[in-house]
Amino acid sequence: MEYIRTMTPDVTTTPAADRRSLRRAFAASLSGTALEWYDFAAYSVASATIFGHLFFPSGDPLAGTMAAFSTYAVGYLARPLGGFVFGRLGDRLGRKRVLVVTLVLTGVSTFLIGLLPTYAAVGGFAAILLVALRFAQGVGIGGEWGGAVLLSSEFGDPAKRGFWASAAQIGPPAGNLLANGVLALLAALLTDAQFTSWGWRVAFLLSGALVGFGLWIRLKLEETPVFRRLAELGERPSAPISEVFRDERRALAAAVLVRVCPDVLYALFTVFVLTYITSHTTLSRGQGLAAVMIGSALQLVLIPAFGALSDRVSRRGLTLVAVIAAGIWPFVFFPMVGDGSFAALIIGVLLALVIHSALYGPQAALVTEQFSERLRYTGSSLAYTLAGVIGGAPAPLLFTALLAGYDTWVAVAGYLAVTAVVSLVGVLMARDAK
C-alpha cells in the first residue's frame, strides 16, 4: 500500500506560477540541457569518427572504434554517481543551486577536452585524460536531467505537465543538432588534415561561451514553487536515496525500464549509424551527419508536440505504441539504406527520430509522476542514470561488436527489439497520474 500512497496525484497541491516565471523556467531548462547535450553530442560524434585514430591508435580500425565507444560508455557509467549526489542535493537544497553546479561541471569538462594532447604527443596518458574528462561530463549530466525536468514542470500547470516537462527533452536534439552542425561546418571548411589536427578542438572549446550563456539564464531564476512549499512545510527528506529504495521501489523500477529503449534507439540512429553507413554502405560520414541533423531539427518540434499530446491522452498508451514501433523500425531501416541511397537514409533516420520523439516527449512527465513530490529529484535522477547504464552506455559498443561478430545488421536490429520488450515491461508497471 505504500506504493499507492506515494503515487497519489499532486494536481491539486502544486502551486501555479505566473507566466513570466514559467517562461523563464522553460527557457532555463531547455537551454541548460541543450548546452550540456551539445557537449555530450560533440564527444559522441567525435568518438564515432576521429577519436579512435587520435587517442586509441591501432592497426585495426575496428579496435580503435571499439576503444572510442568504450570511452563513450564511460559518460553513461558515470551518470549514476551524478544522479546519487545531485539528486539527493536537489531534494535537500533545491533545484536551482544544483543545476548551476551541473552545468559548470559538464561545460568545463568539455572545454578541457578541446585542450587535450593526443596519443601522438603523450602516448597512453592522453587516453587516461580523455576518460577522466568524459567521466566528469557524465557526472554532470547525471545530475542535470532530473532537475531540469522539475525546473519547468514545477512552475507549470500539472494538467499540462507533459508539455512543460518536455523542455528538458528538447535539449538532447537541440544540442545534437548544434554539435553536428558545428562539426559538419568545420569538416566542410577545413581539409581532412586540418580537421584531424586541430579543427575538431574548436567544437569543444566553444562550450566555454555556451555555458556562460546558460549560467546567465539559470542564475536569474527563482527556486521552484513546489520546492519552496516543501521547505516551508519542513517536508524536505533527510535521506532521499534510502527513502526511494525503501518506499518507491516499484516506481523506480518502472521508470528505469521505460527509459531503456529510447536510449538505445537514440544511440543507434544518432551515433552508431555514422559508423555503419561508412563501413557497410557507399554513404559518407557527411551524408550521415546531414541525416541526423535533419531528424534532430524535426525533433525540436515533435518532442514538445508529443509531450502536449500526452496531456490529452494516456501517457502510458502513447509510450506503449512508440515502444512497439521502435522495436520494429530497424528491421525496415537497414534494408532501406543497403543500396546507398541518401534519400532513403534521410527518410529512415527521420522516421526513427519521430518514433524517438513519441517516446521521449512524454517521458519526462511519465518518469517524474512515478515519484512523490518530496523525492522527485532523487527518484527521477536515479531512474534516468540507471537506465543509461543499462541502455545507452553499452549500446554503441554492443552494436559494433554484434555487427563485427555476426556480419549482419539483423543482430543489431534484434538487440534493439530486445530493449523494446524491456521498456514494454516498464510501461505495464508504470501508472498514469491522470
Side-chain angles (χ1 to χ4, degrees):
M1 298 302 293
E2 183 66 25
Y3 177 75
I4 296 175
R5 181 187 69 79
T6 58
M7 290 296 99
T8 302
D10 59 357
V11 172
T12 60
T13 63
T14 303
D18 64 87
R19 300 292 294 181
R20 185 177 181 183
S21 296
L22 182 54
R23 288 193 296 269
R24 284 182 177 176
F26 189 90
S29 179
L30 192 161
S31 61
T33 53
L35 294 176
E36 293 199 3
W37 273 93
Y38 166 86
D39 299 343
F40 212 71
Y43 185 95
S44 299
V45 174
S47 69
T49 54
I50 62 172
F51 273 4
H53 168 69
L54 294 175
F55 292 93
F56 307 95
S58 169
D60 181 1
L62 174 62
T65 301
M66 293 279 282
F69 278 154
S70 297
T71 311
Y72 169 87
V74 168
Y76 279 95
L77 296 175
R79 288 186 188 183
L81 177 60
F84 274 86
V85 173
F86 293 117
R88 179 182 183 280
L89 293 176
D91 281 327
R92 290 284 301 146
L93 304 178
R95 307 355 181 173
K96 173 185 172 179
R97 294 181 186 177
V98 171
L99 288 173
V100 168
V101 176
T102 60
L103 183 64
V104 172
L105 177 59
T106 307
V108 170
S109 301
T110 306
F111 182 83
L112 292 176
I113 288 176
L115 299 176
L116 281 181
T118 63
Y119 184 92
V122 296
F125 187 59
I128 295 174
L129 292 174
L130 181 64
V131 170
L133 292 175
R134 180 63 171 172
F135 185 88
Q137 263 191 340
V139 171
I141 291 182
E144 165 71 19
W145 186 83
V149 168
L150 297 182
L151 192 65
S152 55
S153 64
E154 289 186 348
F155 272 103
D157 179 358
K160 298 179 180 179
R161 182 178 288 133
F163 172 74
W164 292 114
S166 71
Q169 305 296 77
I170 304 172
N176 194 36
L177 180 63
L178 184 58
N180 277 286
V182 169
L183 287 167
L185 179 62
L186 290 169
L189 295 177
L190 303 174
T191 65
D192 287 344
Q194 290 173 326
F195 182 78
T196 302
S197 176
W198 58 268
W200 64 271
R201 297 181 182 275
V202 175
F204 291 89
L205 295 176
L206 279 175
S207 67
L210 296 175
V211 169
F213 174 75
L215 281 176
W216 175 72
I217 294 178
R218 286 193 172 177
L219 289 172
K220 293 170 68 70
L221 275 178
E222 297 179 352
E223 188 52 79
T224 71
V226 169
F227 183 80
R228 291 202 305 268
R229 179 171 57 81
L230 290 172
E232 291 169 0
L233 296 175
E235 295 184 0
R236 289 179 294 179
S238 58
I241 296 175
S242 299
E243 289 189 48
V244 168
F245 281 104
R246 183 184 68 236
D247 300 330
E248 303 193 6
R249 290 188 297 271
R250 179 174 173 177
L252 180 61
V256 169
L257 296 179
V258 163
R259 279 197 35 79
V260 171
C261 180
D263 271 5
V264 177
L265 180 70
Y266 197 69
L268 175 58
F269 287 100
T270 63
V271 180
F272 179 75
V273 69
L274 302 177
T275 298
Y276 179 81
I277 64 169
T278 55
S279 62
H280 285 72
T281 75
T282 58
L283 294 162
S284 68
R285 179 183 67 184
Q287 289 173 315
L289 289 172
V292 171
M293 288 173 63
I294 292 171
S296 295
L298 184 63
Q299 283 197 296
L300 299 181
V301 177
L302 287 179
I303 285 177
F306 278 113
L309 179 61
S310 75
D311 290 323
R312 295 169 173 79
V313 301
S314 164
R315 275 192 252 285
R316 290 174 67 242
L318 180 58
T319 303
L320 179 66
V321 173
V323 164
I324 294 172
I328 295 173
W329 184 243
F331 293 94
V332 179
F333 170 79
F334 285 107
M336 282 178 59
V337 301
D339 63 355
S341 169
F342 182 40
L345 175 66
I346 292 176
I347 294 171
V349 171
L350 190 150
L351 290 178
L353 294 182
V354 169
I355 296 170
H356 181 263
S357 298
L359 286 167
Y360 209 59
Q363 187 182 88
L366 181 63
V367 168
T368 57
E369 285 169 347
Q370 303 309 305
F371 303 96
S372 56
E373 285 183 348
R374 59 193 299 274
L375 297 174
R376 273 195 180 149
Y377 202 141
T378 300
S380 300
S381 295
L382 290 176
Y384 176 76
T385 56
L386 293 175
V389 172
I390 299 171
L397 190 62
L398 286 174
F399 289 148
T400 304
L402 287 170
L403 188 61
Y406 292 95
D407 196 27
T408 173
W409 58 264
V410 176
V412 175
Y415 175 64
L416 181 56
V418 170
T419 67
V421 173
V422 170
S423 286
L424 180 62
V425 173
V427 174
L428 297 176
M429 291 177 61
R431 44 81 73 175
D432 267 317
K434 297 182 293 182

